[in-house]
Amino acid sequence: MTQYLPYIFSLLALISFKAKAQEAEVDTIKLEVNQGLQLYVDYGKLLTQLSDFESKLEFGIAYQFRNRFQPNFQYGMASVDPVDAIENGEYNAEGSYWRAGINYILPLDNINSLYLGVKYAQLKFEDSGSYMIESEFWPTLEGGFQRTDMEADWFEAILGSEKKLKGGHLILGGQTGVRFINTRPTGEFIDIYSIPGYGLWTDSSTPFLNLYIKYQF
């Protein structure tokens, strides 16, 4: 994943440049950034409640300043039950996490905007699993494990977009980016399969996509 980082950041820089160029072209339109408190929910994660793989909830609060900076905070809970984590066995990981960061808004017009952001996140979680090893020559071996009070943290680089709905108080948004793990626990017998809030543990970085709806006061 890390070999793609130069391309990702080049794309972010290109989008930022185009947004600024478009803003300069529409200087006949007065661009407004409304200041105010924002509350939002990640409805993409709400849809995971119907999934057999994972269940997530995430809520957030932000404050939009007229200077285009937007500090924000999110709190979430996640539970993952992948069917293919352990052959002939079960695995579960669950925990709660928080994220804090800041975005910089790039208005395209008074309805649509892009933004760039960075975040830092921390998680407390636990996991458990069971397994069964069958053999034609030896007795069946069954076992399990449970690990608690584990912690992890990571950073996020974000590119997002938002669209104001009629009235300007409701906002639909989406964001994509890359998460970079900072610290995480390791398992002595079976390693951590999934980090709630971060994603499947396969590399030191992982892409993500979030969809949310906001209400601005």
Side-chain angles (χ1 to χ4, degrees):
M1 182 67 198
T2 54
Q3 66 268 30
Y4 299 110
L5 293 183
Y7 302 101
I8 293 173
F9 288 113
S10 296
L11 178 60
L12 293 178
L14 178 59
I15 292 175
S16 176
F17 174 79
K18 287 186 175 180
K20 291 181 178 179
Q22 183 173 356
E23 179 180 338
E25 291 176 0
V26 295
D27 55 1
T28 57
I29 301 175
K30 183 180 179 181
L31 297 178
E32 297 180 353
V33 178
N34 297 324
Q35 182 169 303
L37 181 69
Q38 300 176 339
L39 300 177
Y40 56 102
V41 59
D42 189 323
Y43 67 85
K45 289 182 173 58
L46 285 174
L47 297 177
T48 65
Q49 303 301 309
L50 304 176
S51 169
D52 293 333
F53 178 80
E54 63 184 349
S55 176
K56 295 181 181 180
L57 287 172
E58 184 175 306
F59 305 93
I61 185 172
Y63 194 88
Q64 180 64 62
F65 289 98
R66 294 190 189 280
N67 62 7
R68 301 185 183 180
F69 284 100
Q70 183 193 92
N72 54 83
F73 177 86
Q74 297 89 42
Y75 177 81
M77 297 167 286
S79 176
V80 184
D81 298 278
V83 295
D84 56 350
I86 300 177
E87 188 173 354
N88 295 328
E90 297 179 346
Y91 180 85
N92 170 265
E94 59 183 21
S96 59
Y97 58 90
W98 60 264
R99 295 189 180 99
I102 191 166
N103 298 334
Y104 183 74
I105 308 300
L106 302 167
L108 301 178
D109 51 41
N110 286 325
I111 302 296
N112 304 282
S113 63
L114 299 176
Y115 63 87
L116 302 175
V118 291
K119 282 184 173 64
Y120 172 73
Q122 282 190 350
L123 161 75
K124 289 187 177 182
F125 72 111
E126 59 185 37
D127 72 346
S128 61
S130 62
Y131 57 88
M132 180 175 63
I133 302 175
E134 298 179 300
S135 172
E136 297 179 359
F137 306 102
W138 297 284
T140 297
L141 176 64
E142 295 183 82
F145 62 91
Q146 184 172 12
R147 299 174 286 209
T148 61
D149 298 324
M150 297 188 293
E151 297 183 356
D153 67 314
W154 63 90
F155 298 94
E156 300 181 2
I158 298 165
L159 169 64
S161 66
E162 292 186 343
K163 180 182 181 66
K164 295 179 181 178
L165 301 182
K166 187 175 181 180
H169 291 289
L170 281 179
I171 302 171
L172 284 179
Q175 59 182 17
T176 185
V178 183
R179 295 182 177 131
F180 305 92
I181 198 74
N182 184 39
T183 60
R184 74 170 186 99
T186 56
E188 295 181 0
F189 178 55
I190 296 178
D191 202 1
I192 306 298
Y193 180 82
S194 177
I195 301 177
Y198 176 85
L200 296 180
W201 171 249
T202 56
D203 200 349
S204 59
S205 61
T206 184
F208 68 90
L209 173 67
N210 289 343
L211 301 172
Y212 59 86
I213 185 168
K214 279 184 178 181
Y215 184 85
Q216 178 162 328
F217 294 91

